[in-house]
Amino acid sequence: MVEYVQYIETLIWVLIKIFLILIPLILGVAYLMYAERKVVGYMQCRIGPNRVGIWGLLQPIADVIKLLCKEIIIPSVSSRYLFIIAPVLTIAPALAAWAVIPFSPHLVLANINAGLLYLFAMSSLGVYGILVAGWASNSKYAFLGAMRSAAQTISYEIAMGFAFVGVLMASGSLNLQDIVLRQQGGIWHWFWLPLLPLFLVYWISGVAETNRAPFDVAEGESEIVAGFHVEYSGITFAIFFLAEYANMILVSTIAALLFLGGWLSPFEGIPVLGHLFAWVPGIAWLLLKTCCFLFLYLWMRATFPRYRYDQIMRLGWKILIPVTLVWLTVLGLAIEFHLKPWFG
Amino acid sequence: MLTNYLYILIFLGIGAVFGLLPMALGYLVSPKNPTKEKLSAYECGFPAFEDARMPFDVRYYLVAILFILFDLETAFLFPWAIVLNKIGWYGFLAMGLFVGLLVVGFIYEFRMRALEWQ
């Protein structure tokens, strides 16, 4: 009986922790949407949303309520069950990936040894939702969008996997906390410097994998309307939207963890500044680094024109993969020769 | 240790609920007045001429095959990369041989224009 109560207690604790991760994440998604419209607006000399609440701050909430009240349309030619299950297939891995993200030295839900492998798996699973959605819709635009998106995602996944391999070689662990702790010792010890080409490759493939501009041919509105989610309306569409933005935040957080030292302070080891900023909690640094990458997403969207599909495939296969292969060799040699100060 | 994986399983379940719950809510509060035109597949204003599940380009299939090859390679590299600083030159050269063979294949694909998308 006592054991039974204990199990229930642990379960409730886990649920509370999960919601402590998910609710800020959902809010983050909502305000990333708002930030995107504001930032892109100002970059195009507009002011963005400013009607709902002060500075338009209630805009995302108004959007959600509107989408919730719109009719859910299930096309008569579609495969009904697959059509409904596709958004769930997209959102579940996008959220579940957050289980292994360490926010500070002790703040992590599941501290597993295969953390990076798990993240890799979850980011790969997202493609199923897109394929199923495009297939189930039975619409030409949706089908073409899904095919493009799937081929693009798997192409860039190889380059991303090789970039992860580089991080593993440098850190010697799959555990995300160990990977961050291995970068201790100030800004020059973070992996962005010894792994610079892999860092760039990771970022480019991360943007391509979330199907964001300039790699957004999968939903290029001027060619195939909205791609795989063209038949989705109301809240079913909102779930795809949520998953896409949750994935953006995830890619940015992983970039901060693997290459920019996660929760470590950038002033570590610097005489005066190090002490001055010692009070800042680690999670604040992690969030700050994540926000920098998120801003980069929006900046890229406002700046670059869309790639053509053959250019996307060429970049993925003919440039990113050879670059990673070369740098993995260089990295292997650096580790074997115990190159100081990183691999000493 | 294994409890950590249980947490992940619970998290996956909650993630699915986060997808299903809003849909159920939307189903309850949204209006429902479907018409034949509203439920037809979106194409260009005309009724769709044919089923959308048409034959598609074989290049997508080729990309998928190449992906499996390289993803397997990544799967082999993962455990090797973790222990690289323990296995020394022997491990480095053994993996160099393995990757070298694949790189030869990659160069062949490159030269045969299998990676081109025209």
Side-chain angles (χ1 to χ4, degrees):
Chain A
M1 190 62 202
V2 178
E3 268 180 31
Y4 199 63
V5 171
Q6 244 174 359
Y7 283 138
I8 300 278
E9 209 180 284
T10 351
L11 186 68
I12 290 173
W13 261 117
V14 173
L15 286 179
I16 290 174
K17 282 184 195 162
I18 289 176
F19 279 101
L20 280 181
I21 296 175
L22 278 185
I23 288 168
L25 177 65
I26 302 282
L27 278 176
V29 166
Y31 281 92
L32 175 59
M33 222 157 80
Y34 168 79
E36 175 168 34
R37 292 171 68 177
K38 272 288 187 197
V39 167
V40 174
Y42 276 107
M43 282 181 180
Q44 298 169 345
C45 299
R46 298 180 285 116
I47 47 175
N50 68 339
R51 294 288 150 179
V52 196
I54 23 167
W55 306 314
L57 272 175
L58 296 178
Q59 184 72 43
I61 294 162
D63 285 341
V64 167
I65 292 170
K66 188 198 82 174
L67 284 169
L68 204 60
C69 297
K70 289 283 177 185
E71 185 172 350
I72 299 173
I73 293 169
I74 301 175
S76 47
V77 287
S78 65
S79 318
R80 305 180 67 88
Y81 295 111
L82 286 180
F83 190 81
I84 292 176
I85 218 107
V88 182
L89 276 182
T90 319
I91 188 95
L95 295 182
W98 288 86
V100 297
I101 299 285
F103 296 98
S104 73
H106 304 292
L107 216 59
V108 53
L109 179 71
N111 186 14
I112 59 172
N113 277 335
L116 193 58
L117 198 61
Y118 172 76
L119 279 181
F120 195 42
M122 283 295 137
S123 68
S124 313
L125 278 181
V127 77
Y128 283 102
I130 292 171
L131 264 183
V132 169
W135 177 260
S137 300
N138 203 352
S139 158
K140 289 191 183 98
Y141 293 119
F143 182 67
L144 287 174
M147 294 305 290
R148 283 184 180 192
S149 177
Q152 177 186 333
T153 308
I154 60 176
S155 299
Y156 280 82
E157 213 166 88
I158 300 167
M160 190 184 246
F162 282 155
F164 282 165
V165 169
V167 172
L168 294 182
M169 286 163 77
S171 66
S173 172
L174 271 166
N175 185 311
L176 286 162
Q177 275 185 316
D178 288 348
I179 291 175
V180 173
L181 289 176
R182 183 68 181 65
Q183 301 179 54
Q184 254 167 350
I187 197 163
W188 305 113
H189 290 261
W190 296 354
F191 286 156
W192 68 271
L193 188 58
L195 305 182
L196 189 61
L198 298 182
F199 174 40
L200 296 178
V201 166
Y202 169 78
W203 177 247
I204 295 170
S205 27
V207 174
E209 207 153 304
T210 41
N211 290 319
R212 295 290 302 178
F215 303 105
D216 58 345
V217 283
E219 42 196 277
E221 41 289 271
S222 49
E223 316 168 13
I224 47 172
V225 200
F228 63 91
H229 57 56
V230 69
E231 297 289 353
Y232 285 84
S233 66
I235 198 71
T236 49
F237 163 74
I239 290 169
F240 277 117
F241 212 70
L242 183 69
E244 181 182 333
Y245 281 72
N247 271 329
M248 277 166 70
I249 303 181
L250 184 69
V251 166
S252 305
T253 312
I254 298 174
L257 282 172
L258 299 188
F259 297 101
L260 286 191
W263 63 78
L264 300 173
S265 160
F267 301 113
E268 199 182 330
I270 300 173
V272 182
L273 284 172
H275 282 292
L276 216 56
F277 284 94
W279 57 273
V280 179
I283 189 166
W285 290 122
L286 181 63
L287 287 179
L288 194 69
K289 289 165 188 172
T290 307
C291 287
C292 288
F293 283 112
L294 286 172
F295 182 75
L296 203 56
Y297 256 118
L298 310 183
W299 193 3
M300 285 170 77
R301 176 174 169 194
T303 308
F304 294 129
R306 182 180 300 137
Y307 270 94
R308 238 174 29 226
Y309 199 68
D310 62 317
Q311 291 171 325
I312 289 184
M313 294 313 246
R314 190 176 66 206
L315 178 68
W317 285 98
K318 292 188 164 182
I319 299 175
L320 296 191
I321 292 177
V323 165
T324 47
L325 281 174
V326 167
W327 202 256
L328 287 185
T329 317
V330 172
L331 196 63
L333 288 174
I335 289 172
E336 292 304 335
F337 282 115
H338 299 288
L339 184 74
K340 287 190 183 343
W342 302 295
F343 311 112
Chain B
M1 194 58 230
L2 272 179
T3 48
N4 277 324
Y5 289 94
L6 180 69
Y7 296 168
I8 288 175
L9 197 65
I10 296 172
F11 209 129
L12 258 175
I14 299 278
V17 169
F18 256 75
L20 286 169
L21 206 65
M23 276 205 280
L25 197 67
Y27 183 76
L28 288 178
V29 301
S30 65
K32 281 172 267 304
N33 39 6
T35 62
K36 187 167 167 288
E37 280 74 30
K38 203 190 271 177
L39 293 187
S40 63
Y42 174 72
E43 211 164 291
C44 60
F46 284 108
F49 285 131
E50 55 192 5
D51 197 74
R53 284 157 192 174
M54 48 195 177
F56 59 87
D57 204 323
V58 72
R59 279 172 307 187
Y60 289 111
Y61 182 68
L62 268 181
V63 166
I65 288 182
L66 287 179
F67 164 72
I68 291 178
L69 274 180
F70 279 92
D71 215 37
L72 267 179
E73 190 183 345
T74 323
F76 280 124
L77 279 171
F78 261 61
W80 168 81
I82 297 170
V83 292
L84 179 64
N85 47 11
K86 297 190 186 76
I87 52 181
W89 280 107
Y90 177 70
F92 180 76
L93 291 176
M95 188 47 95
L97 193 67
F98 173 68
V99 174
L101 285 175
L102 275 161
V103 166
V104 170
F106 187 70
I107 293 170
Y108 180 71
E109 282 159 17
F110 211 115
R111 296 292 292 273
M112 296 302 285
R113 297 169 161 270
L115 306 176
E116 222 120 307
W117 191 279
Q118 67 251 337

